[in-house]
C-alpha cells in the first residue's frame, strides 16, 4: 500500500511539472514580444527621423550665383557686372577717406616763427655805443654802401693755407655809422654762440689794409660775412654771421681769428 501511495505522489508531481512547462514557455514568449515590438518601433522611428532629416535640410536659396563671364564679339572675356551689394561695400570703404580729408582740413596751421626765433639770427651790438641794436640779415644785406666781397687768404697754426671767397659788411663802418661808437670805446669783443670769442683793439678794427701774402697789392677790411663760396650760411645751423680777417703781414696766422656763428659784438 505504501508503494502505491509513493507512485501516486510521484505521478502527481510529474503531472504538475508537465502542466507547468507550457505556462513557463508562454510567459517567456509574452516577455519577449514587447522587446521585439519596442525594437521595431525604435527602428521605425530612427528610419522616420533620418528620412525626416533629409527632407528638412534647409536649402540656401538666398545665395547669389556669380553671373558667368560673357564673351565679347571679338572673343575676349568681359568682367561680370558688380552687384548692388558690392557697390555698397565699395561706398563703405571710401567713407574713411572722406573723414580723413575732413580731419586734414580741420588741422590748425603751424604757428609762424616767433619773434624770439627771429632774434636768434640777429647780429647784436652792445656796450659803449649810442645805438644798442640788433641787425637782421635782411637789414645787413640792404647796406649796399658798406658791403665787401673778395677772396681772403688764410693760414692756420698747422701751416694749412687757402683762398676763400666771402661776402659781408665792413665791421668798422657798421660800428661807426650804424651803431655809433662812443668816444670812450677802445676794445671790441666778438663772441660766438658757443662762447668762443676774439678781442681786438679799436685800431685793429679800423684797419682797412689787411693783406694777402700771395698778392700783397690787395687790401682787405675786417668784415662780418653771411656768404661763403657763393652760398649763404644756413640759419638752422646757427647764427649766419662770420668774422673774417686778413693778414697783418706775410706769415701772419690769421685763420684762428675768424669767428663763426657770431651772437653779439661788445664794445668797451
Amino acid at each position: 500500500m505504501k508503494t502505491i501511495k509513493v507512485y501516486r505522489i510521484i505521478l502527481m508531481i510529474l503531472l504538475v511539472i508537465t502542466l507547468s512547462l507550457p505556462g513557463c514557455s508562454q510567459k517567456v514568449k509574452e516577455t519577449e514580444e514587447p522587446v521585439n515590438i519596442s525594437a521595431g518601433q525604435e527602428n521605425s522611428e530612427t528610419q522616420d527621423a533620418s528620412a525626416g532629416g533629409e527632407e528638412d535640410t534647409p536649402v540656401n536659396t538666398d545665395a547669389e550665383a556669380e553671373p558667368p563671364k560673357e564673351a565679347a564679339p571679338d572673343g575676349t572675356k568681359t568682367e561680370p557686372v558688380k552687384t548692388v551689394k558690392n557697390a555698397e561695400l565699395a561706398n563703405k570703404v571710401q567713407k574713411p577717406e572722406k573723414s580723413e580729408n575732413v580731419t586734414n582740413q580741420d588741422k590748425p596751421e603751424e604757428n609762424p616763427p616767433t619773434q624770439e626765433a627771429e632774434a636768434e639770427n640777429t647780429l647784436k651790438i652792445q656796450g659803449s655805443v649810442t645805438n644798442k641794436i640788433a641787425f637782421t640779415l635782411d637789414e645787413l644785406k640792404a647796406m649796399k654802401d658798406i658791403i665787401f666781397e673778395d677772396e681772403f687768404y688764410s693760414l692756420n697754426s698747422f701751416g694749412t693755407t687757402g683762398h676763400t671767397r666771402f661776402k659781408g659788411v665792413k665791421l668798422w663802418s657798421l660800428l661807426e655809422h650804424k651803431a655809433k661808437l662812443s668816444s670812450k670805446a677802445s676794445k671790441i669783443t666778438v663772441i660766438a654762440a658757443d662762447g668762443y670769442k676774439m678781442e681786438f683793439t679799436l685800431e685793429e678794427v679800423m684797419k682797412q689794409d689787411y693783406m694777402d701774402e700771395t698778392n700783397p697789392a690787395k687790401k682787405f677790411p675786417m668784415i662780418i660775412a653771411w656768404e661763403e663760396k657763393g652760398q649763404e650760411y644756413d640759419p638752422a645751423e646757427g647764427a649766419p654771421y662770420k668774422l673774417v680777417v686778413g693778414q697783418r703781414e706775410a706769415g701772419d696766422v690769421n685763420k684762428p681769428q675768424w669767428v663763426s656763428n657770431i651772437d653779439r659784438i661788445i664794445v668797451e
Side-chain angles (χ1 to χ4, degrees), residues 140-208:
L140 293 175
K141 289 180 179 180
M143 300 176 186
K144 305 295 185 181
D145 56 332
I146 63 173
I147 290 178
F148 183 87
E149 181 178 5
D150 207 338
E151 289 189 354
F152 284 73
Y153 177 79
S154 62
L155 173 63
N156 64 19
S157 56
F158 297 100
T160 305
T161 62
H163 284 89
T164 309
R165 190 170 192 85
F166 291 100
K167 181 179 181 179
V169 293
K170 300 175 184 179
L171 178 55
W172 172 248
S173 299
L174 183 66
L175 295 174
E176 182 183 23
H177 301 296
K178 306 300 180 181
K180 298 188 181 300
L181 291 172
S182 169
S183 59
K184 297 180 181 180
S186 61
K187 184 175 68 173
I188 309 295
T189 304
V190 181
I191 304 174
D194 61 0
Y196 182 79
K197 62 183 179 180
M198 286 297 302
E199 293 183 358
F200 301 93
T201 65
L202 193 61
E203 289 74 18
E204 288 175 327
V205 178
M206 292 173 61
K207 186 176 175 65
Q208 301 293 305

Side-chain angles (χ1 to χ4, degrees), residues 87-148:
E88 292 177 354
L89 291 175
N91 292 333
K92 289 181 180 179
V93 172
Q94 293 177 357
K95 285 183 179 179
E97 295 181 358
K98 184 177 180 181
S99 62
E100 288 179 1
N101 293 333
V102 173
T103 304
N104 292 333
Q105 292 176 358
D106 294 340
K107 286 184 178 179
E109 295 182 357
E110 295 182 358
N111 295 328
T114 61
Q115 293 181 354
E116 293 181 358
E118 293 178 353
E120 292 180 356
N121 293 327
T122 58
L123 180 65
K124 297 178 282 292
I125 299 177
Q126 304 169 347
S128 186
V129 292
T130 302
N131 298 327
K132 293 179 176 62
I133 194 168
F135 294 105
T136 65
L137 180 57
D138 290 337
E139 289 173 340
L140 293 175
K141 289 180 179 180
M143 300 176 186
K144 305 295 185 181
D145 56 332
I146 63 173
I147 290 178
F148 183 87

